[in-house]
Amino acid sequence: MDVTLNYIIVIFLIGFVGSFISGMVGIGGSIIKYPMLLYLPPLFGLAAFSAHEVSGISAVQVFFATIGGVWAYRKGGYLNKTLILYMGISILIGSFIGGYSSKLMSEGTINVVYGILAALAAVMMFVPKKGIDDIPLDKVAFNKWLAAALAFLIGIGSGIVGAAGAFLLVPVMLVILKIPTRMTIATSLAVTFISSIGSTFGKITTGQVDYIPAFIMVVASLIASPLGAKAGQKMNTKVLQVILAVLILATAVKIWVDIFLSRQ
């Protein structure tokens, strides 16, 4: 694909918008940027990326986007170090397995995996989460081994699609582990950063990364993710939950509609 000014602008804007939202709601951004990279470039006269290319670009971009988000949340007591340790190690192992094994899968299979993960996340985001934000940050408790097991499974699935798994980590932390919203957002970014190490390494070692668009997305991420994180710290937690739920639901619907149409 020729690298024109139009190409650079389109890829940069996709990275910027996705990373701003990801920093705001505590996700790596692939839940947004994966479909954007698949569907938007052709609308602007650019060649379409394949599912393998999109997952590779997403994996690298998420690595840098989460660095910016975690840096913005480093103060305020929102990072739960125990949760980061247990979920981080497990998701790192799982994401490497998923990222490496994705080379053996067809593009249709990758899209189906992504659709299943998005659908599960969407369902969980609409489960009532009463009272979790009334828990003092220094009184938060959770089942460590359950957290580790869930993170491992999320890592395998997210490694396949290069999404780092934050769009599943957030509802799992909120609904199953009962972690307060702002702690969930900050901690999920840190866990996602660890996850992205495994998925990025898996994608790079199997030659699934297109480095030019990945670099453009990285630059956009480093600018936009901290800005989004700062905006998220000022927003009502219920509003943040609704934004994330709508984004995940819309993406799940879009992916499944396209999977269904492609098989007609």
Side-chain angles (χ1 to χ4, degrees), residues 24-44:
M24 184 169 63
V25 298
I27 58 177
S30 286
I31 189 72
I32 307 158
K33 279 165 278 191
Y34 187 95
M36 289 175 75
L37 280 170
L38 272 182
Y39 307 122
L40 290 186
L43 298 180
F44 292 91

Side-chain angles (χ1 to χ4, degrees), residues 117-130:
L117 294 178
L120 287 172
V123 169
M124 282 193 287
M125 283 306 299
F126 285 97
V127 172
K129 295 172 277 294
K130 296 180 180 179

